[in-house]
Amino acid sequence: MRKRFLGLLSVLCALVLAVGFMPARAQAAEAESYVALGDSISTGYGLADPATEGFVSLVTDQQGYDTTNLAVDGAASYEVLALVTDVENASYPAIAGADVITISVGGNDLLNALYMYLADQYSTMLGVPVTPELIATALAAEDPDPDMVEALLPLIEQFATSQQAADALASFSQNLTGIIGALKTANPDATILVLNQYNPFSFIDNPDVAPINTAFETAANALNGIISAGAGSSTYTVVDVYGVLSDAQNNPFNASFASMTDFNLDIHPNAHGHQLIAAAVNAAIDILTPEDPDPEPGVGFVDVPEGEWFYNAVMWAATTGTMTGYDDGSNTFGPNNPMTRAEMATVLYRIAGEPAVDTSILPDDCDPEEWYAAPVAWALTVHVFNGYDDGNFGPDAWLTREQAACVLMNAAAILGVDVTPRTDLSAFPDADAVSDWAADSLSWAVASHIINGYELEDGTRELQPGRACTRAELAGLMMNLLAGE
C-alpha cells in the first residue's frame, strides 16, 4: 500500500506541474473503472434523482470513472457475497477488472434481524402470528399505524441484546470476510473501500424516538467494529460515513419525527447526506498507478544543502509533490520554519488530489476567502483534523509535534495503512509532557517508526510533543509514513 501511494504522489506531482493543481482524475487520459456494490445507499434510494444526487454518481463525476453500479435495494451481505463469488454472472468481468470498488453493506443484515425479532415479540403480545414482512411493511408505510409504532418502540430498544442481533452480526462478519476474499481473488490490485454504517435517527431530538436512536446507535457501533477489525489486514480501506454524517451541520437523513402521528422512519441519507458521503469516498480513494516512477532530477533549494539531516526527506517531499518550496522566487524550502495547522491541511489536501469541497462548514475562525479554505474544509470533512474543543480550527496556530502525530494517524487510517501498532512511551524522558488526547497517536507513530524522537547533543531522544513541528520534520514524517518499507 505504501509503495503504491508513493507512486500516486509522484503522479500527482507531475500533474500539479502540468495542469496547475487540477484534480488528477479529471486529467486522466483514460477513465479508470469503478464498481459499486451493496445496498440502497449505493443505489441512491429515496433521492429525487439518484443518477445525479447519489454518492456513486457524485464520485463518478469527480473522479471521471467508467462506473458499473451493481448495488441492489435491500441487499444484505450474503447477497453481495453470492454476487462476487458467481464467476458465471455477467457482472463478474466488471468486478474482476475494476480499479476501485466501493461496498455499502451491513445495514440490511441487522434490519432483517430486527424485523424477525419484532415479529416474534409482537406475535407474543397479540397472541396471533405476525410475519417479519408485515413489520417491515408497516414501519416503511407512508402512513404507519401510530398504535403499532408506539407498541414497537420499546421492543426496538431491546433488540441489541437479542439472539437475532447476535446471529446477524456473526453472519455479517463471516460474509464480509468472504466478500473481501473473493474480490481480492478476482481482482488483487483493486482498491476496495468499505463504507461503515450510520445512525439515521441521530438528528431527531424527541424523547419518543430515544429507543430507536439507542438501538440504531448500538447497531451502527457493532457493525462498524466488525468493519474496522477487518480493515486491520490492509485488504480494504474504511470510509468513515458514520463520522461524516454524525458531524454534519444540517440533517443528512430523511428520517423525521414530530409526533406519533407525524413521522418518517426512512433510514436513508438525503441529497445532502450523499454529498457528504461522496466527499468522504473521494478523499479516501487511493488512485492506482503504474510502477513507482523515478523522482524527477533537478529539484534543489538554496537552504537545503547536502549533508543536512533533513536533505533526503526534503528532496523526497519535493520530488513527489508532497511539499513544495516557497513561491516567492527565493528557491527556498524553509526547513526550520514551523508549520501551521492550515499548511498541514494543505499538504494532505494536495495529496488527495484537491477534490471539490463545501467550504460552508468552516468554523468561525476560518475565512472562506483565504487560501486555506478548501484544504481546511476538506480536512475537517474527512476527519483528518477534528478542530479544537471550542469549535475553532486555529488555521494560523503552529502545528505541534503531538498534533502532527494525531493528524498522521487519522490520515494513515484513511489510506489503509496499519494503525494498530503501539509502544510504551516511557522510554522518552519527556513522556509525561504528552497530552492525554495525543498519547495513543504518539504511541502508534513511534511504534510505526513515523516519529523517532528528537536527538539531543548527548544522544538522548525526546518526543518534544508541545514544540512546533518544522517543515523539515514534517517532510521526514511524511516520508516515513508514505515511503517507509
Side-chain angles (χ1 to χ4, degrees), residues 308-310 335-337 400-402 425 427-431 434 442 445-446 449-474 476-477 480:
E308 286 287 352
W309 66 267
F310 50 72
N336 297 314
N337 293 344
T400 66
R401 286 164 59 85
E402 63 182 2
L425 298 179
F428 294 91
D430 59 345
V434 176
L442 268 172
V446 173
H449 306 290
I450 308 300
I451 291 178
N452 299 311
Y454 183 84
E455 186 173 359
L456 304 179
E457 291 184 0
D458 63 1
T460 303
R461 286 188 175 274
E462 294 182 340
L463 292 170
Q464 299 188 356
R467 178 173 63 77
C469 183
T470 67
R471 287 171 55 80
E473 288 174 334
L474 182 64
L477 298 182
N480 291 342

Side-chain angles (χ1 to χ4, degrees), residues 227-261:
I227 292 171
S228 295
S233 62
S234 298
T235 53
Y236 62 86
T237 297
V238 178
V239 179
D240 186 19
V241 171
Y242 175 91
V244 168
L245 298 185
S246 296
D247 292 344
Q249 293 189 341
N250 299 314
N251 187 355
F253 305 114
N254 289 323
S256 62
F257 199 102
S259 68
M260 282 294 180
T261 58

Side-chain angles (χ1 to χ4, degrees), residues 4-14 289 316 319-322 351 478 482:
R4 285 172 52 199
F5 203 73
L6 176 56
L8 163 63
L9 291 171
S10 298
V11 172
L12 282 178
C13 180
T289 61
W316 174 87
T319 55
T320 59
T322 309
I351 291 172
M478 297 299 295
L482 299 176

Side-chain angles (χ1 to χ4, degrees), residues 169-213:
L169 289 170
S171 177
F172 171 69
S173 178
Q174 183 176 355
N175 290 339
L176 180 61
T177 300
I179 291 168
I180 300 302
L183 290 175
K184 282 300 183 183
T185 298
N187 190 344
D189 292 327
T191 295
I192 302 174
L193 307 176
V194 179
L195 282 61
N196 66 9
Q197 298 294 309
Y198 57 84
N199 174 9
F201 304 105
S202 58
F203 275 70
I204 299 178
D205 184 16
N206 187 310
D208 290 332
V209 189
I212 299 182
N213 200 342

Side-chain angles (χ1 to χ4, degrees), residues 103-196:
I103 308 171
S104 63
V105 72
N108 288 312
D109 291 65
L110 278 185
L111 273 180
N112 293 338
L114 173 63
Y115 298 147
M116 291 175 57
Y117 172 76
L118 292 178
D120 289 346
Q121 298 298 311
Y122 202 47
S123 295
T124 301
M125 290 175 58
L126 298 179
V128 296
V130 177
T131 65
E133 292 75 18
L134 177 62
I135 296 292
T137 301
L139 291 178
E142 206 169 293
D143 190 17
D145 179 354
D147 292 332
M148 182 179 182
V149 172
E150 188 171 8
L152 292 176
L153 285 178
L155 298 177
I156 292 176
E157 187 174 18
Q158 299 165 18
F159 167 68
T161 59
S162 69
Q163 187 60 48
Q164 287 92 334
D167 291 344
L169 289 170
S171 177
F172 171 69
S173 178
Q174 183 176 355
N175 290 339
L176 180 61
T177 300
I179 291 168
I180 300 302
L183 290 175
K184 282 300 183 183
T185 298
N187 190 344
D189 292 327
T191 295
I192 302 174
L193 307 176
V194 179
L195 282 61
N196 66 9

